[in-house]
Amino acid sequence: MKNNTSNFNNIPFQTLYSNEMITARVRELGLQIASDYIEKNPIFICVLRGGVYFFSDLTKAVPIPIELDFIQAKSYVGTESSGNVELIKDLDADISGRDVLIVEDIVDTGRTLKFLISHILSKKPKSLEIASLLFKEGGEAVGYPIKYVGWNIGKEFVIGYGLDYDGKFRNLPGVFLYSEE
Ligand code: IMP
């Protein structure tokens, strides 16, 4: 069954998670995270650009004092340099001795996250946990526990709520299955 995203030029992608479903799941994760981090003054790190909507909603769903920072990496795939990840924007904050939570849109091969985890661990945080809206089959290769996951999904390519195809569709309000038709 296909659900039209009617206010987005009737783009006929199949809904995987509607905005309402995401809101409900983010609220649950927010409360769980708040109870784990109460009185810890944690710093939450948004992985740009895909994590921006999840980060924005999740941080508002965590009713305790937190600080925010941003990081960006670029992964080169399908080229000679396949597997290379480069840091585009580093953190501004000093995170040594801090409780840190990385907020990601999706863990696919886990390559980007693996790079970010090792980069952030080199800054000697007190603790490091990961929250990812989606966790794709095979993401275990990241080799680090993903403590907070919105949903586990299969190998399908998804768009919306921060996730893009060729730079587009990030601003769709839910998560949709991408298809060329
Ligand atoms: P990795 O393979 O885990 O390193 O994923 C790297 C990045 O690729 C993610 O942070 C996303 O930005 C992007 N990505 C992976 N799978 C998808 C998808 O299904 N849709 C859109 N972007 C994706």
Side-chain angles (χ1 to χ4, degrees), residues 98-135:
R98 301 288 306 273
D99 291 298
V100 173
L101 179 72
I102 297 180
V103 181
E104 257 284 29
D105 52 356
I106 191 166
V107 181
D108 181 1
T109 64
R111 201 181 294 125
T112 310
L113 192 54
K114 199 169 186 168
F115 170 86
L116 289 174
I117 288 168
S118 106
H119 177 71
I120 286 171
L121 286 178
S122 75
K123 295 172 185 272
K124 308 272 183 250
K126 183 174 169 198
S127 70
L128 177 62
E129 300 292 354
I130 321 292
S132 186
L133 180 70
L134 301 172
F135 185 86

Side-chain angles (χ1 to χ4, degrees), residues 70-86:
F70 301 84
I71 200 164
Q72 187 171 9
K74 191 174 173 66
S75 180
Y76 296 94
V77 284
T79 69
E80 278 295 298
S81 57
S82 182
N84 284 353
V85 184
E86 185 193 331

Side-chain angles (χ1 to χ4, degrees), residues 20-40:
E20 292 72 21
M21 291 166 77
I22 295 171
T23 302
R25 185 70 186 115
V26 167
R27 191 173 298 137
E28 289 174 352
L29 289 173
L31 292 176
Q32 186 190 349
I33 290 170
S35 83
D36 291 349
Y37 283 94
I38 196 155
E39 290 175 7
K40 286 192 172 168

